[in-house]
Amino acid sequence: SDHQLCQNPQGAVRATRRRGLRTHRREDEHPGPSRAQALVCRPAETYTSTSIIPTPGLRAGLQGTAPEDDRETWGKKIDFLLSVIGFAVDLANVWRFPYLCYKNGGGAFLIPYTLFLVIAGMPLFYMELALGQYHREGAATVWKICPFFKGVGYAVIIIALYVGFYYNVIIAWSLYYLFSSMTSELPWLTCDNYWNSPNCTSHKSITDSVIGNGSSYAKYKFTSPAEFNERRVLHLHESGGIHDLGPPRWDLTLCLLAVVIILYFSLWKGVKSSGKVVYITATMPYIVLFVLLIRGATLKGSMKGITAYLSIDINKLKNLEVWTDAATQIFYSLGAGFGVLIAFSSYNKFNNNCYRDAILTSTVNCVTSFFSGFAIFSVLGYMAEKRGVDIKDVATDGPGLVFIIYPEAISTLPGSTFWAIVFFIMLVTLGLDSSVKFPLIVQEDAFWVNFNSKLIHLLFSFPPLQGGMYVVTLLDKYAAGTAILFAVLIEAIGVAWFYGVDRFSEDIERMMGFKPGLYWRLCWKFVSPAFLLFVVIASTLTSSGLKYNDYVFPDWSNHLGWMVALSSMMFVPCYAIYKFLTVPGTLKEVRMKVLQNVEK
């Protein structure tokens, strides 16, 4: 066996571990007559009980170099940084965080948000970057470190596929709005278009008496921008609900096809091509946000919006929902658990300082969320001033913010066509940057992975149908809700408790020449799993029935949603059971093989 390679195996293992060395099978050696003869004990190498994996042969505490392989790497360090930032900074940074901050106490919301960033967000971010960089594998194959948990990798691949079903369609909506903005007069400005209903009211004529008591301006469905969105773009008025999806929308389908083509050619040469695309897609949103902030700050009423955004209400912190929102938002904002960070970092050079990268990129992401709130609420303050209503009447999140309220505000500005084009370019680039995840998660032939995954997204993207918004709502809640939280919880447990924090810290030391501090090791082993368990339980207990505006989803659709969630989550226990049943040996031998990767 592997433990009998040396005359004194236990002593050799202890001695070499003290030197921080490892034994491995050289990739360029021809196999000998037996497995044992193909393994040799070298003074610059050691054997561990996890697996026989090529690693650097330098003393512990010194920076190593990776073994030679054919895996491509990022062209430049900036390619990797922009790719990670581009993935983490997505549409939710613009349409969700600012509203959550406003709703949950303004500046007070930053207290739990920052706390969860430091004790859980950054440690998980750092863990995934280090895991991918050391093992140079994707979300599924990285679990050679502990085969029992490989189902986690398959689960996140399925989740990424589900997310692609609707996320690409949201980009297609943005692209449609971008094309529609290329006119001398924006099409959602008036009520004299063929798609408008008799009840349509120009936004210039909206008053409290028209809206009615107790109604919010943001939820009023008969403004010209709202009708353009629901009756011209989505054709939602022709659908009776999720049971009546209707025929495909050919114009949105063409936009979806354009998105798929753009994504394919962004990745058809792997990270070499995607690393160049992010120079545009990752930087453009920052340029646009800065321009929109400067323009918004000059508008009348902008300070009213910014003041509402930052107003501090400490009493809100007594509400458990505020803490749950902060925990959920920091997790989704950073994008840990989707397997993308592992995949991206696997293309790094072995001795890259992923610790510094984790601190930098996670901080940039969170600062971007906060910064975007100024650009959003300066314009919402202007809207409230112009309509003579409170901020709470125009403040909203999700598609209603970026496809109805913000476009309406833009349409009232001088040079509205220019501002609309700029805004929707930002939405398109934000979406494209995050939608490259699925092909990079699966570590296979670049051409076929790109082609097949994008073809699947195109064929099964139900939202271009008339009732597509209902499908988007369902998938957004269930496909990557509790399921991704559960997957990353098991991932954190697998790395910290089964692969081992000490062993993981030694891996980092071999890459960068220093071990993670006590703080990071405590977070990985105790704080982050506890945080994720809290979020999983809270999201499950606070889950309510689906609703879109005034439409309440039937019970069967909520059951369908949970089936979608379980379809990915079941990979974790099912693969674990499969592994236990198929690996030969006694119970003790099987346990060692599947939990510590001692496989024949």
Side-chain angles (χ1 to χ4, degrees):
S1 69
D2 297 340
H3 294 275
Q4 297 172 335
L5 298 178
C6 302
Q7 292 180 351
N8 184 11
Q10 297 300 325
V13 170
R14 286 193 296 268
T16 50
R17 279 181 178 169
R18 283 195 298 270
R19 295 194 298 269
L21 312 174
R22 178 174 289 188
T23 296
H24 67 279
R25 184 201 302 266
R26 291 174 56 96
E27 299 293 335
D28 56 350
E29 285 183 349
H30 297 287
S34 68
R35 185 170 185 266
Q37 291 175 342
L39 300 170
V40 293
C41 293
R42 297 185 176 89
E45 299 163 334
T46 188
Y47 171 83
T48 70
S49 62
T50 56
S51 64
I52 299 173
I53 306 172
T55 53
L58 297 180
R59 289 175 298 180
L62 295 180
Q63 201 167 344
T65 57
E68 293 297 326
D69 59 26
D70 296 329
R71 188 174 184 81
E72 63 179 327
T73 58
W74 297 100
K76 297 179 180 179
K77 176 65 175 289
I78 191 66
D79 297 354
F80 165 70
L81 293 176
L82 289 177
S83 295
V84 173
I85 291 172
F87 163 69
V89 177
D90 62 359
L91 293 169
N93 292 73
V94 174
W95 80 18
R96 181 162 173 78
F97 175 84
Y99 178 74
L100 279 181
C101 187
Y102 162 74
K103 183 185 77 169
N104 291 316
F109 180 73
L110 297 178
I111 296 175
Y113 184 78
T114 304
L115 173 65
F116 289 138
L117 167 67
V118 173
I119 68 172
M122 280 186 177
L124 288 170
F125 203 88
Y126 181 18
M127 182 186 76
E128 290 207 345
L129 291 185
L131 196 65
Q133 182 173 305
Y134 183 82
H135 295 284
R136 300 177 68 76
E137 299 284 357
T141 52
V142 75
W143 287 104
K144 65 185 181 182
I145 64 175
C146 191
F148 181 77
F149 290 92
K150 194 172 183 178
V152 175
Y154 293 129
V156 299
I157 290 174
I158 297 300
I159 292 171
L161 182 63
Y162 287 156
V163 172
F165 287 168
Y166 73 91
Y167 201 85
N168 289 346
V169 176
I170 296 176
I171 306 173
W173 293 344
S174 304
L175 197 62
Y176 184 90
Y177 266 86
L178 176 61
F179 292 148
S180 300
S181 301
M182 297 178 182
T183 59
S184 57
E185 183 178 82
L186 296 176
W188 56 83
L189 195 58
T190 62
C191 281
D192 54 359
N193 303 288
Y194 70 87
W195 59 79
N196 291 124
S197 71
N199 296 324
C200 180
T201 306
S202 172
H203 61 271
K204 298 178 181 178
S205 306
I206 294 292
T207 61
D208 288 339
S209 60
V210 173
I211 298 176
N213 293 330
S215 298
S216 168
Y217 183 87
K219 302 299 182 183
Y220 188 64
K221 298 195 299 182
F222 298 110
T223 64
S224 50
E227 289 206 348
F228 176 78
N229 177 256
E230 292 201 357
R231 302 176 69 88
R232 176 65 186 93
V233 180
L234 303 178
H235 282 243
L236 199 59
H237 66 292
E238 297 178 10
S239 171
I242 194 169
H243 63 282
D244 179 24
L245 297 179
R249 300 293 310 145
W250 67 268
D251 44 4
L252 290 180
T253 302
L254 288 178
C255 288
L256 177 62
L257 177 61
V259 170
V260 171
I261 292 173
I262 293 171
L263 290 173
Y264 173 75
F265 283 104
S266 297
L267 285 167
W268 75 311
K269 289 186 178 180
V271 295
K272 295 296 184 183
S273 57
S274 68
K276 300 299 180 274
V277 172
V278 294
Y279 280 83
I280 298 174
T281 58
T283 57
M284 181 62 71
Y286 288 95
I287 297 173
V288 174
L289 277 175
F290 182 74
V291 171
L292 290 175
L293 174 60
I294 297 300
R295 183 66 182 98
T298 64
L299 299 174
K300 185 179 180 181
S302 60
M303 289 307 300
K304 178 181 178 182
I306 293 175
T307 301
Y309 173 54
L310 295 178
S311 61
I312 299 176
D313 185 359
I314 296 295
N315 292 327
K316 287 279 188 178
L317 298 181
K318 299 176 182 178
N319 189 346
L320 179 62
E321 183 183 359
V322 174
W323 294 83
T324 303
D325 283 347
T328 305
Q329 178 61 23
I330 195 65
F331 174 80
Y332 286 118
S333 179
L334 292 178
F338 284 94
V340 179
L341 299 177
I342 295 176
F344 278 167
S345 62
S346 71
Y347 296 102
N348 277 336
K349 295 179 180 179
F350 184 78
N351 57 2
N352 173 66
N353 191 334
C354 58
Y355 168 71
R356 182 177 55 202
D357 295 344
I359 300 296
L360 174 63
T361 53
S362 58
T363 301
V364 167
N365 173 69
C366 295
V367 170
T368 302
S369 296
F370 182 65
F371 174 73
S372 67
F374 289 92
I376 296 297
F377 271 86
S378 62
V379 175
L380 291 183
Y382 162 73
M383 267 287 283
E385 181 76 18
K386 197 170 185 65
R387 300 287 170 260
V389 296
D390 292 333
I391 290 291
K392 65 180 181 180
D393 294 320
V394 296
T396 186
D397 62 347
L401 172 64
V402 296
F403 293 124
I404 298 177
I405 296 298
Y406 212 90
E408 178 180 342
I410 287 174
S411 68
T412 65
L413 301 176
S416 56
T417 296
F418 168 77
W419 294 111
I421 290 174
V422 166
F423 177 70
F424 288 112
I425 285 177
M426 179 189 72
L427 293 188
V428 170
T429 53
L430 280 172
L432 289 175
D433 246 357
S434 296
S435 195
V436 299
K437 57 176 151 304
F438 182 66
L440 287 178
I441 293 176
V442 185
Q443 305 295 310
E444 297 177 5
D445 180 80
F447 174 84
W448 288 109
V449 169
N450 277 322
F451 180 79
N452 291 333
S453 64
K454 294 309 170 190
L455 180 62
I456 290 172
H457 284 173
L458 177 62
L459 293 178
F460 292 94
S461 293
F462 294 110
L465 307 177
Q466 289 175 357
M469 175 57 83
Y470 301 125
V471 181
V472 167
T473 304
L474 186 146
L475 290 177
D476 185 49
K477 179 177 177 64
Y478 290 107
T482 304
I484 191 64
L485 294 170
F486 171 77
V488 76
L489 169 62
I490 303 302
E491 174 190 296
I493 293 173
V495 173
W497 288 90
F498 289 86
Y499 184 64
V501 167
D502 291 338
R503 187 180 304 165
F504 185 52
S505 299
E506 290 172 2
D507 294 345
I508 294 175
E509 185 178 17
R510 291 188 182 96
M511 289 191 296
M512 297 184 291
F514 60 88
K515 278 189 176 182
L518 179 63
Y519 170 78
W520 298 103
R521 298 199 299 274
L522 289 175
C523 284
W524 287 330
K525 192 155 188 175
F526 301 108
V527 181
S528 294
F531 161 80
L532 288 167
L533 183 62
F534 162 74
V535 177
V536 168
I537 295 174
S539 66
T540 304
L541 295 180
T542 59
S543 179
S544 57
L546 286 171
K547 185 178 180 182
Y548 175 75
N549 289 340
D550 297 330
Y551 174 73
V552 178
F553 284 67
D555 290 339
W556 66 263
S557 62
N558 290 288
H559 299 153
L560 176 63
W562 279 111
M563 289 176 63
V564 170
L566 289 173
S567 67
S568 58
M569 295 165 64
M570 287 303 295
F571 274 90
V572 177
C574 287
Y575 188 86
I577 295 172
Y578 159 78
K579 202 67 180 174
F580 265 113
L581 294 179
T582 57
V583 174
T586 65
L587 181 62
K588 182 177 180 180
E589 290 172 343
V590 170
R591 183 179 64 83
M592 290 293 292
K593 290 175 182 179
V594 300
L595 293 181
Q596 300 185 22
N597 194 20
V598 182
E599 297 192 80
K600 303 273 185 183

